[in-house]
């Protein structure tokens, strides 16, 4: 298996990966919602605010995860938000997702990022180092429907500490449907 961060020219394949993966697990409406999110992330997010990690095997796209900048008004640390993540339905539960996320986290470390946050299933994301965080310590961009899914990790040798001020996500994610 190979990992890459190159998305240029692969936008249609990525959008379809997310559509089909989410449609298979959560229904066609969710597949449409997430594929539209990916389309907007790829088209509208400045390159310096978006990092991708793709998993491939012999040229076949097996999975992808996207990290976008999350800014805090009173905190200068470099923080990214992991969302969304997909592994093709046929290859789920084979370790591809964990390998891909570990590669993506290492890429963020190499680029000097300080922390990464996500909003999802704690049981899955804790396998790659995410821990529950409080909305009081790390303010999400929009109100959370399931606060137990607000997770984070430091990408440095220091533990993740409070991030100061309100946060702002990229435009594609600034929608209550994702929170």
């Amino acid at each position: 298996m190979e990992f890459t961060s190159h998305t240029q020219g692969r936008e249609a394949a990525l959008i379809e990966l997310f559509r089909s993966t989410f449609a298979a697990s959560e229904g066609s409406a969710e597949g449409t919602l997430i594929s539209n999110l990916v389309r907007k992330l790829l088209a509208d997010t400045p390159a310096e605010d978006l990092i991708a990690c793709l998993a491939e095997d012999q040229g076949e796209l097996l999975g992808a995860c996207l990290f976008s900048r999350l800014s805090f008004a009173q905190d200068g640390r470099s923080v990214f938000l992991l969302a969304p993540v997909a592994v093709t339905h046929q290859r789920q539960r084979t370790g591809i997702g964990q390998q891909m996320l570990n590669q993506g986290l290492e890429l963020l470390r190499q680029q000097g990022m300080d922390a990464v946050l996500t909003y999802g299933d704690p049981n899955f994301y804790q396998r790659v180092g995410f821990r529950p965080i409080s909305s009081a310590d790390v303010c999400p961009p929009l109100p959370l429907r399931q606060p137990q899914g607000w997770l984070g990790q430091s990408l440095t040798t220091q533990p993740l500490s409070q991030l100061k001020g309100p946060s702002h996500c990229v435009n594609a994610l600034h929608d209550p449907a994702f929170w």
Side-chain angles (χ1 to χ4, degrees):
M1 186 168 3
E2 298 176 2
F3 298 95
T4 183
S5 61
H6 301 291
T7 60
Q8 191 169 13
R10 309 194 66 202
E11 294 87 353
L14 285 164
I15 292 165
E16 177 53 25
L17 167 72
F18 282 95
R19 187 207 62 75
S20 63
T21 300
F22 279 84
S25 64
E26 299 182 40
S28 62
E30 190 73 6
T32 299
L33 178 71
I34 300 302
S35 64
N36 285 336
L37 167 63
V38 171
R39 180 179 291 107
K40 289 176 186 174
L41 281 167
L42 295 172
D44 300 339
T45 305
E48 65 273 12
D49 292 341
L50 186 67
I51 297 172
C53 185
L54 285 60
E56 301 175 304
D57 188 20
Q58 299 178 7
E60 178 186 0
L61 182 61
L62 302 179
C65 57
L66 300 176
F67 300 89
S68 58
R69 190 168 307 276
L70 187 62
S71 302
F72 286 81
Q74 300 160 2
D75 202 305
R77 286 178 279 180
S78 296
V79 180
F80 272 70
L81 178 70
L82 168 61
V85 176
V87 173
T88 186
H89 193 67
Q90 300 84 344
R91 300 289 295 269
Q92 290 179 2
R93 301 188 199 323
T94 63
I96 292 170
Q98 286 183 25
Q99 290 177 38
M100 180 179 63
L101 287 171
N102 283 323
Q103 289 289 322
L105 294 169
E106 183 58 29
L107 179 61
L108 290 171
R109 278 187 199 91
Q110 290 172 2
Q111 293 186 20
M113 304 310 161
D114 296 303
V116 63
L117 308 176
T118 195
Y119 181 50
D121 180 3
N123 294 323
F124 176 76
Y125 290 106
Q126 286 181 356
R127 296 180 202 161
V128 293
F130 285 91
R131 298 292 174 252
I133 54 178
S134 161
S135 296
D137 288 335
V138 180
C139 184
L142 294 167
L144 302 174
R145 286 178 286 176
Q146 298 180 0
Q148 71 277 9
W150 192 224
L151 309 165
Q153 69 173 284
S154 173
L155 296 172
T156 70
T157 57
Q158 301 300 311
L160 181 61
S161 60
Q162 181 181 28
L163 290 160
K164 297 177 181 100
S167 64
H168 303 281
C169 58
V170 298
N171 287 338
L173 281 163
H174 194 77
D175 182 332
F178 303 120
W179 301 93

